[in-house]
Amino acid sequence: MTQSVLIKGGTVVTMDADDHVLDGDVLVRDGRIAGVGEGLGSADVTIDARGCAVLPGFVQTHIHLCQTLFRGSADDLELIDWLKLRVWPLEAAHDAHSIRASARLGIAEMMRGGTTCALTMETVRHTEEVFRVVEETGFRATIGKCMMDKGEGVPEELCEKTEDSIEQSLALLERWQGRGEGRIRYCFAPRFAVSCTKELLERVARLARERGVMIHTHASENRSEIELVRRETGMRNIEYLNSVGISGPHVLLAHCVHVSEGEMIMLADNGTHVAHCPSSNLKLGSGIAPVAEMLERGISVSLGADGAPCNNRLDMFTEMRTAALLQKVSRGAEVLPARRALRMATSDGARALGLENEIGSLETGKRADITILDLERLHLTPRPEVVSTIVYAAEAQDVRTVLIDGQTVLRDGELMTLNEREVIGEAREQHRHLAARAGIN
Ligand SMILES: [Zn+2]
């Protein structure tokens, strides 16, 4: 049982249904929020949050922890070259040690920046290591082994037999679903339509429904990718996924940059979730996703940094700000205000993962995933409106303390479940070995 915690005297940005912001306290007991307001009594530990914003931990709905070690190794390439020349050879060269270092680095960076939960697609092998790291660090994640059973230019190490891909995914599901007091969940993660056979996609669609687990995949990120799918199937990307049964409220599609009118109707009608990754879309030159239009149509859109080699940060502040600015430049300055962007980064992310009753807002009864942000900074002054300050002005470095499931994982800027120096040291060493194995600098 974790200690009870009283977070005292902060500006509490609840992100509840009424967007309630109040000056007061948050009480945490047994990993859950036991009260929000004033006069909540005492606790084992008191955190002085005067001069701070207290908000729900960020939920990133598209991440690849296995790619954190590839940061800076795949710059200035468009998607298909980025995959074939850099990311796939590097993924193929991973061993258990390098995956472990990669996941630790990614989680350390996210926790330090106030992210408490992620949906992450790993590589084909060694996904077990990522589960272990999530369990050890106290992070919250829904994790999937990448599934790939075809594709031109896919290294041999990453191309699986359909049967093996399914079997290994099911073994991980059996082993890890619900571990870490429920913080850890499994999802099926077919990479994208280009690298999966129709048989694989159909079986995944069926199994996900039978087992009640999510599907996490990529769709309609890049024009060449869409053209490859059209040539093979005669359909647009999201239409094709829908035709094989990959659609619905348990499905999350990363990107959806180039979507037709018909595909938007499909996403809205089926309740399929979209993860918008603005920095990744810009850096790979993929395009600007029609987020404002998707939101107007009632499509669920949340945010993610994607992997370190296409961002190169795993920082929700960057993604919130960039998402808002991109829609303004394409649709007008009044579009996607700060409050909407913060919702995408918190409660909408929780809903996309089916965790809206557990996380995503600061309300009594929810799991205590909480980010405390120091507002007494030059670049955050003055601050007539705290949500505007968080979305447009704050940075990851302003995060002071983070709780996940009531456990303090960052205290006054210091990681509690990871040693930052060790994480950096092992990441540098493992990157050196990995780059040598892959023959990539
Ligand atoms: Zn991705």
Side-chain angles (χ1 to χ4, degrees):
M1 199 172 288
T2 50
Q3 290 181 308
S4 59
V5 180
L6 183 67
I7 303 167
K8 209 166 164 48
T11 301
V12 184
V13 181
T14 63
M15 302 311 291
D16 66 7
D18 304 321
D19 280 334
H20 204 184
V21 176
L22 60 132
D23 290 325
D25 310 337
V26 178
L27 179 64
V28 174
R29 221 180 259 144
D30 299 333
R32 290 191 184 265
I33 295 169
V36 178
E38 281 177 281
L40 302 174
S42 64
D44 302 330
V45 178
T46 300
I47 296 174
D48 181 0
R50 284 174 297 175
C52 294
V54 181
L55 60 148
F58 298 127
V59 180
Q60 297 212 34
T61 56
H62 184 60
I63 287 283
H64 303 263
L65 285 171
C66 67
Q67 294 179 4
T68 321
L69 278 198
F70 315 164
R71 194 192 320 266
S73 295
D75 292 341
D76 312 322
L77 294 166
E78 67 84 45
L79 177 68
I80 304 296
D81 284 345
W82 179 86
L83 285 168
K84 286 186 181 171
L85 302 176
R86 296 285 193 274
V87 171
W88 285 344
L90 284 161
E91 282 192 16
H94 255 316
D95 64 15
H97 300 292
S98 56
I99 292 258
R100 186 176 163 77
S102 192
R104 279 163 57 85
L105 181 65
I107 288 172
E109 182 185 357
M110 282 194 281
M111 282 177 168
R112 241 190 178 296
T115 293
T116 53
C117 175
L119 177 66
T120 175
M121 178 187 292
E122 295 311 309
T123 186
V124 171
R125 296 174 299 127
H126 309 299
T127 305
E128 194 87 22
E129 293 300 324
V130 178
F131 281 101
R132 280 197 196 105
V133 172
V134 169
E135 189 170 47
E136 290 161 12
T137 55
F139 195 58
R140 187 185 301 284
T142 302
I143 306 163
K145 177 197 110 63
C146 183
M147 308 175 87
M148 297 172 78
D149 68 343
K150 82 167 181 57
E152 193 207 309
V154 176
E156 204 179 302
E157 297 87 338
L158 299 184
C159 199
E160 322 166 271
K161 290 203 177 75
T162 310
E163 197 54 52
D164 294 346
S165 186
I166 302 263
E167 208 172 278
Q168 286 167 24
S169 298
L170 287 173
L172 288 166
L173 167 64
E174 295 294 332
R175 173 116 202 253
W176 288 98
Q177 182 79 319
R179 289 270 287 266
E181 290 90 47
R183 287 181 289 105
I184 297 172
R185 297 189 313 160
Y186 193 74
C187 68
F188 289 105
R191 185 161 216 134
F192 64 157
V194 176
S195 67
C196 299
T197 59
K198 188 165 185 244
E199 187 200 343
L200 179 69
L201 294 175
E202 283 174 343
R203 289 181 64 182
V204 163
R206 206 165 46 238
L207 281 167
R209 285 180 206 278
E210 279 170 21
R211 304 293 178 110
V213 299
M214 281 188 72
I215 301 175
H216 176 201
T217 186
H218 297 94
S220 301
E221 176 174 3
N222 163 295
R223 290 210 163 86
S224 319
E225 167 212 4
I226 292 167
E227 184 50 29
L228 285 170
V229 176
R230 199 198 55 77
R231 237 185 282 158
E232 281 186 26
T233 68
M235 283 182 249
R236 290 190 59 92
N237 208 328
I238 294 165
E239 282 171 6
Y240 173 61
L241 290 174
N242 188 55
S243 78
V244 295
I246 297 193
S247 63
H250 65 298
V251 174
L252 181 136
L253 307 178
H255 304 304
C256 300
V257 175
H258 306 283
V259 283
S260 68
E261 165 90 23
E263 287 175 310
M264 281 206 233
I265 292 170
M266 234 171 229
L267 291 170
D269 286 352
N270 297 332
T272 305
H273 303 278
V274 173
H276 177 44
C277 307
S279 299
S280 165
N281 296 161
L282 288 175
K283 184 158 181 280
L284 296 176
S286 300
I288 301 176
V291 170
E293 192 180 347
M294 289 197 267
L295 292 173
E296 281 159 20
R297 288 170 178 269
I299 298 168
S300 150
V301 186
S302 45
L303 294 174
D306 205 348
C310 61
N311 190 305
N312 295 359
R313 302 175 182 164
L314 305 178
D315 168 11
M316 197 53 128
F317 292 95
T318 299
E319 300 314 306
M320 283 193 293
R321 182 180 148 93
T322 309
L325 301 192
L326 266 181
Q327 295 306 305
K328 292 174 193 307
V329 80
S330 46
R331 289 285 302 274
E334 69 284 1
V335 170
L336 209 65
R339 205 162 279 276
R340 194 73 195 75
L342 187 58
R343 195 162 275 292
M344 289 167 75
T346 54
S347 53
D348 290 353
R351 184 158 48 95
L353 301 188
L355 294 174
E356 66 272 24
N357 295 325
E358 292 283 39
I359 57 169
S361 63
L362 302 183
E363 294 177 88
T364 301
K366 285 206 172 178
R367 309 298 317 180
D369 289 10
I370 302 173
T371 288
I372 304 173
L373 191 69
D374 187 357
L375 298 172
E376 294 293 327
R377 305 277 176 124
L378 293 172
H379 63 282
L380 306 182
T381 306
R383 42 174 186 277
E385 213 282 299
V386 69
V387 174
S388 156
T389 305
I390 293 167
V391 172
Y392 293 131
E395 300 172 349
Q397 300 299 322
D398 304 326
V399 173
R400 186 198 277 180
T401 295
V402 174
L403 279 71
I404 301 177
D405 236 15
Q407 186 192 4
T408 306
V409 295
L410 183 80
R411 182 185 291 155
D412 293 327
E414 191 190 341
L415 290 166
M416 305 305 291
T417 58
L418 287 154
N419 179 315
E420 193 163 327
R421 276 175 185 280
E422 268 173 32
V423 168
I424 292 172
E426 78 195 10
R428 291 175 67 166
E429 189 189 340
Q430 288 301 326
H431 167 255
R432 209 168 44 244
H433 297 318
L434 176 73
R437 287 196 298 273
I440 288 170
N441 277 317

